[in-house]
Amino acid sequence: MVEDISGGEAEEGGGCGGVCGCGGAEKEAVPELDVRSVPHALRHATAFGALDVVSAGRAMVPVAPHDPLPLSALVHAESTTRKSRPTKKNTGGHVMDVVHRRTGALVGMAGAALMAAGPVMVLRGRMGRKEIRTELAAQRITFPDHGLPAHLAALAGQSVETGAQAHAYAELIKDHVAKATGGRTYAEITEELYAAGNDDEKLAELRQTAFMGETLRGSLLSAYQAWHLTTLVMGLGGMLTGIGAALVATADALGADPHRR
């Protein structure tokens, strides 16, 4: 019987399943390669040549005049995509099932790559978050002890060291700048100053206030966005690690011997 190394028994036969009358739905035995009539020096090459045309997930049964332990050893030593099973006496010869494991090998390699990449992403995300914390702490930005809006009252007296705190302080700056400039932006104040011939000292000071406030707010918002990126990187790293582990487990299942289940 043709065996599918994914764990169950593969659908026997091939073709279209009997729809067009090609015989695809008929039962098909596992192909046998009788190497007893092949010269001894050519037997291994003949067996490997035949294995190369066996599709993934299918089996081939070489029949030898003796217990083919050397061939079995070569199958394991030279190929990660095939496996062999113990031999048995049959029709005057020794039979060894050899099954392709291309699918399992590819799935296993993909899983191993993801398991390697996932922890690296998590590590890089943690390092990025640590750097953001360090840079924010170096600015020594602290929320006022009083006078905060109701939705920021819980942050009173705290230092800005996280993405959420950076976003909250950026909103606080936005409110203060809006009050100081009457809701006008740096560009709007600059236009007014040019219209006054650059002689209005009050507008010049107001423009400087808007510039400094918007610059600091932009920096804090950049830190907030970077914080979210580190969260995304760590989350993806964890997800890739889990997917990789699942693929490796699937590869092990594909390469398992169905007769041992």
Side-chain angles (χ1 to χ4, degrees), residues 68-260:
L69 293 178
L71 177 60
S72 177
L74 281 175
V75 168
H76 287 283
E78 297 184 9
S79 176
T80 60
T81 63
R82 305 183 184 102
K83 68 175 181 177
S84 64
R85 303 193 184 101
T87 63
K88 60 182 179 180
K89 280 275 190 176
N90 186 35
T91 63
H94 290 259
V95 175
M96 178 183 70
D97 289 345
V98 181
V99 181
H100 267 276
R101 296 192 297 180
R102 290 193 186 100
T103 302
L106 291 175
V107 171
M109 286 189 292
L114 292 179
M115 288 184 67
V120 172
M121 293 180 66
V122 173
L123 178 61
R124 293 298 298 174
R126 290 176 64 87
M127 291 174 61
R129 179 163 291 190
K130 181 179 179 181
E131 185 175 352
I132 294 171
R133 281 183 177 274
T134 301
E135 291 298 323
L136 287 174
Q139 301 303 314
R140 299 180 182 179
I141 303 173
T142 304
F143 286 93
D145 292 326
H146 53 80
L148 290 174
H151 64 285
L152 298 179
L155 299 173
Q158 294 185 17
S159 297
V160 176
E161 296 181 355
T162 68
Q165 290 172 333
H167 183 268
Y169 204 91
E171 293 304 302
L172 181 63
I173 292 174
K174 178 182 177 181
D175 292 340
H176 288 176
V177 171
K179 291 178 181 178
T181 64
R184 292 171 293 178
T185 65
Y186 171 81
E188 291 172 335
I189 297 172
T190 299
E191 185 177 352
E192 292 181 21
L193 183 59
Y194 286 161
N198 289 324
D199 286 336
D200 193 320
E201 185 176 344
K202 183 178 180 180
L203 282 177
E205 293 177 355
L206 199 59
R207 183 178 69 166
Q208 183 66 14
T209 298
F211 174 77
M212 294 180 63
E214 291 181 8
T215 299
L216 179 55
R217 181 171 181 268
S219 297
L220 290 172
L221 289 178
S222 294
Y224 171 67
Q225 294 297 331
W227 187 274
H228 275 292
L229 284 176
T230 60
T231 302
L232 177 63
V233 169
M234 289 189 292
L236 287 176
M239 183 176 67
L240 290 181
T241 302
I243 293 175
L247 289 178
V248 170
T250 301
D252 290 342
L254 289 175
D257 187 345
H259 294 299
R260 295 183 181 180

Side-chain angles (χ1 to χ4, degrees), residues 20-74:
C20 66
C22 67
E26 298 177 359
K27 290 185 177 181
E28 181 181 337
V30 176
E32 289 189 0
L33 175 65
D34 193 339
V35 297
R36 287 175 292 182
S37 60
V38 179
H40 185 272
L42 301 177
R43 285 175 185 168
H44 288 179
T46 301
F48 275 98
L51 281 173
D52 287 338
V53 299
V54 176
S55 60
R58 300 294 183 175
M60 187 187 75
V61 182
V63 180
H66 59 81
D67 195 351
L69 293 178
L71 177 60
S72 177
L74 281 175

